[in-house]
């Protein structure tokens, strides 16, 4: 297959730190960049070794450039209009979360993409993180039996970019909200409690899924968590799996016969970790967090004309769950 050509809207911190390097590692070509400043667009192209065209007007780029897809990494409140313009220009789109600020906006964009016959993918990179991909495989193949319950912790200093509970859920914790849908399916019941004060977020949420799985989410957006942290513990019928900080997955297979487990060596722990050395470089982080994986997936979908895993239609359900969580949290005010 020929190299995939992508155009970009946005060149902020997240884009230049995570998305552009991942696109290059995934094997695509940066054909053009549009920001509000032609100088900024030119500097971004130069920084990533591209001979593409700079723009200070993304609509001109959409009109002038032939490409396989457009990557949108802008301010969340701008995503709806930017993505809609890309769709109406007949372009495949990869957009950072959130896709729209509400379930309704997400649905309108998904409908527009379907009508235009273009691909629409949302950047939920945790689906492509190796630790969570292995966890999904365990659940699907039922290697430890059926899932019974889960616990998730996500804590980060979100105070610089989240002013309240809604922004925290839709700008930060949305990745975890999407991940639990991806792992366990659709939700039938939500109960939330909070102890938030403006930008200092404290939330505890209990959830039940259609398949009977129950679990809890612990979310904290406080300056106390200057060291971002996340882990996922899943209890199965015959063991458990613990994904810790995206770089370690422990799978415990419990004994399956009635003898006391201390009488034998039949229980088993498997620990999966990445190789780590001074030669790892920054790309290790981009692989483990799922950024390279999600961009590779988008490129492949553009080449083959296949719907992405985290497509616009699927994202409607993630936004609906975000809105549902927020509605229940509001009841505790």
């Amino acid at each position: 297959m020929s190299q995939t050509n992508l155009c970009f809207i946005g060149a902020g911190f997240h884009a230049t730190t995570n998305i552009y390097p991942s696109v290059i590692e995934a094997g695509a070509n940066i054909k053009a960049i549009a920001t509000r400043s032609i100088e900024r667009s030119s500097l971004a192209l130069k920084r990533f070794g591209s001979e593409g065209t700079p723009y200070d007007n993304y609509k001109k780029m959409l009109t002038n450039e032939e490409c396989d897809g457009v990557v949108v990494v802008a301010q969340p409140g701008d995503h709806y209009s930017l993505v809609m313009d890309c769709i109406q220009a007949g372009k495949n789109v990869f957009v950072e979360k959130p896709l729209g600020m509400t379930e309704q906006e997400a649905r309108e964009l998904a409908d527009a993409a379907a009508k235009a016959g273009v691909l629409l993918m949302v950047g939920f990179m945790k689906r492509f993180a190796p630790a969570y991909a292995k966890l999904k495989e365990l659940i699907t193949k039922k290697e430890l039996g059926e899932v019974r319950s889960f616990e998730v912790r996500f804590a980060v200093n979100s105070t610089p970019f989240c002013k309240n509970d809604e922004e925290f859920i839709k700008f930060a914790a949305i990745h975890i909200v999407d991940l639990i849908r991806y792992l366990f399916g659709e939700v039938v019941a939500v109960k939330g409690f909070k102890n938030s004060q403006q930008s200092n977020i404290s939330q505890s949420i209990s959830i039940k899924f259609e398949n009977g799985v129950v679990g809890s989410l612990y979310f904290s957006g406080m300056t106390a968590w200057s060291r971002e942290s996340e882990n996922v513990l899943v209890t199965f019928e015959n063991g458990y799996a613990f994904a810790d900080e995206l770089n370690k997955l422990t799978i415990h297979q419990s004994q399956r016969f009635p003898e006391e487990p201390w009488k034998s060596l039949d229980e088993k722990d498997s620990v999966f970790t990445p190789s780590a050395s001074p030669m790892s470089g920054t790309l290790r982080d981009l692989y483990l967090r799922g950024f390279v994986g999600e961009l590779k997936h988008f490129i492949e979908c553009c080449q083959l004309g296949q719907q992405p895993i985290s497509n616009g239609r699927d994202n409607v359900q993630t936004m609906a769950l975000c809105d549902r969580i927020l509605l229940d949290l509001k009841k505790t005010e």
Side-chain angles (χ1 to χ4, degrees), residues 75-136:
Q75 293 299 313
D78 296 332
H79 283 175
Y80 179 89
S81 59
L82 293 173
V83 172
M84 186 64 81
D85 286 340
C86 291
I87 291 171
Q88 292 175 350
K91 309 293 188 185
N92 296 324
V93 188
F94 173 98
V95 58
E96 268 301 323
K97 50 72 186 168
L99 174 59
M101 290 297 292
T102 63
E103 175 189 358
Q104 180 59 34
E105 288 188 352
R107 191 180 304 279
E108 289 173 6
L109 290 168
D111 289 344
K115 184 177 180 180
V118 300
L119 302 180
L120 176 57
M121 177 174 172
V122 185
F124 289 127
M125 79 284 189
K126 292 191 187 298
R127 295 189 181 203
F128 302 91
Y132 296 141
K134 181 65 177 177
L135 193 54
K136 176 68 172 177

Side-chain angles (χ1 to χ4, degrees), residues 86-222:
C86 291
I87 291 171
Q88 292 175 350
K91 309 293 188 185
N92 296 324
V93 188
F94 173 98
V95 58
E96 268 301 323
K97 50 72 186 168
L99 174 59
M101 290 297 292
T102 63
E103 175 189 358
Q104 180 59 34
E105 288 188 352
R107 191 180 304 279
E108 289 173 6
L109 290 168
D111 289 344
K115 184 177 180 180
V118 300
L119 302 180
L120 176 57
M121 177 174 172
V122 185
F124 289 127
M125 79 284 189
K126 292 191 187 298
R127 295 189 181 203
F128 302 91
Y132 296 141
K134 181 65 177 177
L135 193 54
K136 176 68 172 177
E137 181 182 315
L138 277 174
I139 294 169
T140 302
K141 293 184 176 180
K142 301 182 180 180
E143 295 177 16
L144 298 177
E146 298 286 348
V147 177
R148 293 301 184 191
S149 60
F150 69 92
E151 297 176 19
V152 177
R153 181 187 73 185
F154 176 67
V156 61
N157 178 18
S158 59
T159 57
F161 59 94
C162 297
K163 299 190 296 291
N164 51 47
D165 286 287
E166 181 176 13
E167 291 188 357
F168 179 81
I169 289 290
K170 294 183 178 180
F171 298 170
I174 188 172
H175 284 295
I176 299 296
V177 174
D178 179 77
L179 178 65
I180 61 170
R181 278 196 57 249
Y182 180 60
L183 293 176
F184 308 120
E186 301 306 335
V187 168
V188 294
V190 173
K191 183 61 180 176
F193 299 92
K194 68 174 184 175
N195 184 24
S196 302
Q197 297 178 0
Q198 288 82 45
S199 61
N200 294 296
I201 306 300
S202 295
Q203 301 169 345
S204 178
I205 303 154
S206 295
I207 294 181
K208 183 175 183 178
F209 289 80
E210 289 178 350
N211 56 14
V213 173
V214 295
S216 61
L217 304 174
Y218 165 79
F219 289 157
S220 182
M222 306 268 291

